[in-house]
Structure formats: structure tokens, C-alpha cells
């Protein structure tokens, strides 16, 4: 079958899911395609270019999913609901791709157009909501970093070692507040509450930030 960028990205995503960020190599991708590493370079310049294409795929899928979800919102929806939709669809898209959160975390360094598209729309949502420009990038970056970190934790949970009842009891005794105040909700509810909390913090910038002098 003829090599194309699309097929190479498919193989890259499959290989990435198995070996992770640092284990990925063009040679492994070529083997999966029953091709030579050299033949891949006619379509993809380097491993970094391949990673950028993979990040683009994940981010653009998230962007398209958020577009559809935002269009389904009623006209009277608030900026907070728009942010929550963007956050929820991005998290779902990351779940659909093993290692997707790592790709998103590195996408700014790779200047992934998909990652930049996600940031641009979030910035526009916050700017339209009235977030002052000096705080705009920080607010958007905080939201995206939280979503990425949350997804990273979820994708690594299966690798966590089992804790014995004795070990759990010991830790609960040593760190009572941590265990007593630990969330008693599922991951979906925990994520929703965390985005709500961040939006509440961002809203204080809108309602209390003084206008800069002319």
C-alpha cells in the first residue's frame, strides 16, 4: 500500500501508544508499515515533525468536537458554559488516544497548529467574557495545563501499584486531612468541579480587575 502522511501518522499513533514518547522512533514506525525508515522521510521530515502531526490530529479532533458541542449550546449560554464544553471535549479527545495528553503538553513547543487553534479559541472566549488582556494568556494556559494534567493522571492510573489495606490504614493515620478531605466523587464529577473552580477564580478578574489608566 502506498505510503502517505495519513498512514504514517496512523502508524505513529499506534506505535506511540505502545512505546511512549521517548521510545518512539522512525524505524519502529517504518516496521509497522512494512517499509524502510528512509522511505518515511519523503513524507515526514523528522521525528519531531511526525510528533507535531500527531499532536495536530489529537488537537484538531478536540477542536472539531468542541465546535459541534458549542454550536449545540443555547444562545443564552454563558462564557463559563463555553469554557466547560471546550474542557470536556478536550478531555474526551485525549482519552481516545493513549498518550494524547503528553502530545498536547508538548504541542506548544512543536508549534502544533491544532494546539494553537485550541488556545486561540479559548483566548477568544475569555477575552469576549471580559478577562483583562494582562491576565488572558495566564488564564487560558492555566485551564489547558489543568486539563492536560488531569488527563495525564487518568492515563497513568492503570500503572499505579495496588495498596494493601494495612498500607492504606497507615497512610490515613499519618495524613488525616488529605484522606478525610479527598474527593468522594467519580472522575467526571471531579473534573467538572475543578473546571468550575478555575472559572470562578477567573471570574474574579472580570468583576474586580480595575481598568488600566488611559
Amino acid at each position: 500500500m502506498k505510503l502517505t502522511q495519513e498512514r504514517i501518522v496512523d502508524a505513529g499513533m499506534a506505535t506511540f501508544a505502545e512505546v511512549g514518547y521517548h521510545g518512539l522512533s522512525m524505524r519502529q514506525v517504518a516496521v509497522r508499515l512494512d517499509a524502510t525508515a528512509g522511505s518515511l522521510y519523503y513524507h515526514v521530515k523528522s521525528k519531531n515533525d511526525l510528533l507535531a502531526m500527531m499532536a495536530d490530529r489529537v488537537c484538531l479532533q478536540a477542536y472539531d468536537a468542541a465546535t459541534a458541542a458549542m454550536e449545540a449550546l443555547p444562545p443564552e449560554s454563558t462564557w463559563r458554559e463555553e469554557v466547560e464544553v471546550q474542557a470536556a471535549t478536550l478531555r474526551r479527545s485525549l482519552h481516545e488516544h493513549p498518550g494524547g495528553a503528553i502530545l498536547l503538553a508538548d504541542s506548544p513547543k512543536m508549534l502544533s497548529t491544532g494546539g494553537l487553534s485550541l488556545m486561540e479559541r479559548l483566548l477568544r472566549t475569555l477575552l469576549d467574557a471580559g478577562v483583562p488582556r494582562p491576565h488572558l494568556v495566564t488564564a487560558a494556559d492555566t485551564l489547558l495545563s489543568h486539563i492536560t494534567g488531569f488527563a495525564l493522571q487518568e492515563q497513568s492510573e492503570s500503572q499505579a501499584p495496588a495498596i494493601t489495606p494495612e498500607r492504606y490504614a497507615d497512610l490515613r493515620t499519618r495524613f488525616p486531612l488529605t484522606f478525610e478531605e479527598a474527593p468522594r466523587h467519580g472522575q467526571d464529577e471531579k473534573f467538572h468541579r475543578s473546571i468550575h473552580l478555575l472559572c470562578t477564580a477567573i471570574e474574579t478578574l472580570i468583576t474586580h480587575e480595575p481598568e488600566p489608566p488611559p
Side-chain angles (χ1 to χ4, degrees), residues 69-142:
M70 291 175 72
E71 289 175 349
L73 288 173
E76 65 273 15
S77 297
T78 66
W79 69 268
R80 293 178 64 135
E81 290 171 312
E82 292 182 0
V83 167
E84 288 171 1
V85 161
Q86 292 174 63
T89 52
L90 176 55
R91 175 177 169 239
R92 283 199 298 271
S93 295
L94 295 178
H95 283 179
E96 292 171 2
H97 300 280
I102 298 175
L103 286 172
L104 180 64
D106 272 345
S107 65
K109 290 180 283 186
M110 294 183 284
L111 294 180
S112 155
T113 55
L116 293 172
S117 295
L118 291 174
M119 173 62 92
E120 186 75 11
R121 180 160 60 191
L122 185 55
L123 286 169
R124 174 54 58 186
T125 301
L126 296 175
L127 181 63
D128 290 347
V131 175
R133 284 186 179 271
H135 299 294
L136 197 58
V137 171
T138 300
D141 190 57
T142 298

Side-chain angles (χ1 to χ4, degrees), residues 8-9 19 25 39 50 53 81 104 140 148 154 182:
I8 293 171
V9 173
V19 303
S25 71
S39 64
L50 175 57
M53 292 177 187
E81 290 171 312
L104 180 64
T148 304
E154 290 181 301

